[in-house]
Amino acid sequence: FFFFFFRQEAGAWTLPRAKTPRLAPGPKNRAAMSGGHLSKDFFELIKSIGECKSKQEEDKILAAEVATLRQRFTEQLSPKKMKEAVVRMMYAEMLGHNADFGHIHAVNMSQQTNLIAKRVGYLASTVCLHSGHELTTLLVNTMRRDLKSTNHVEVCATLVAIPKLVNLETLPALMDPVCALLDHPSEVVRKKAVMALHRFCQLQPSSAADLSEKLRRVLCDKDPAVMGASLYILHEGAEADPKAHKDLVPSYVSILKQITEHRLPSSFDYHRMPAPWIQIKLLKLMATLGTADQRASEGMYEV
């Protein structure tokens, strides 16, 4: 595995070279990705919509599907059929048809212990609900519990839903559990936690000051993807208060220099260009911090 960490030597941050890991999906993962848990009828629905010659024809098929779903949700469905009904409801809403009668079932599914059902519930809630929706308050306790789960997949499903569903009322209840995940052993969880905190800072800019020290530690995360995610919050913080971020210029310069020297894994390359999106964000950061500041600008000359 690739370990991304900084070492302070002679006043500079250094990054060791490493190879990119390649993980192949197991049989269970391949089965889940194949969609074998969904019925043939559902695939026929998708096929018929894809073959529609006009929007009117599509609307007719989806109107019939919504009517069927409305009836189906009143029945006693097995867990498998309920999961498919929620997926179909989500599909109808994505194509512009109102199926709000099924929203509560998506919320209920996110509270189940079955991992696949929980992920479907969170996904449907994210697609169909918004931060101001009355049902989002029913998810807060579930999210707090799932953020403490020992299963990182369950934690990730929650972190994906939080940026879409969080609001000023629910933010205080989720702030501490999300911050605690910055020290999670899984780099995927740490990255998604940073992304959730980014949304928190957008909703409540005053919280950025309280997160300053935590975000500085994240900048030195051993995984480059986590470090890259932190740049977006730090950039917004630098735009709001450049003086508080001036001391990070040497770190940004060092990171950019290491990227241009191809010190990151090849998985971050795009057409042989090393981590172009991280480079762009670093350049924007330095442009913000170097504006009308000769000393900071001189520190950037080497890159």
Side-chain angles (χ1 to χ4, degrees), residues 247-267:
D247 61 318
L248 289 175
V249 169
S251 297
Y252 295 143
V253 171
S254 179
I255 294 171
L256 182 57
K257 187 176 181 181
Q258 293 172 67
I259 292 174
T260 56
E261 293 173 353
H262 294 269
R263 300 289 299 275
L264 266 64
S266 59
S267 60

Side-chain angles (χ1 to χ4, degrees), residues 10 21 42 49 82 85-86 109 114 119 122 131 136 154 168 179 193 196 203 209 217 231 246 248 250 261 264 291 297:
F42 179 59
I49 292 174
M82 176 59 76
V86 169
M109 186 164 286
N114 179 274
R119 293 182 70 185
Y122 273 129
S131 61
T136 57
E154 193 171 329
L168 286 173
C179 286
L203 285 174
R217 291 203 310 270
L231 296 177
K246 297 284 186 181
L248 289 175
E261 293 173 353
L264 266 64
T291 301
S297 298

Side-chain angles (χ1 to χ4, degrees), residues 135-163:
L135 291 178
T136 57
T137 55
L138 300 178
L139 284 167
V140 175
N141 286 334
T142 304
M143 287 177 171
R144 284 174 57 87
R145 183 181 67 246
D146 291 341
L147 288 174
K148 297 177 182 178
S149 172
T150 56
N151 188 328
H152 77 279
V153 178
E154 193 171 329
V155 177
C156 286
T158 312
L159 289 171
V160 168
I162 285 176

Side-chain angles (χ1 to χ4, degrees), residues 18 20 45 69 96 124 150 163 202 205 243:
T20 310
L45 171 67
L69 285 172
T150 56
Q202 289 176 332
K243 288 184 178 180

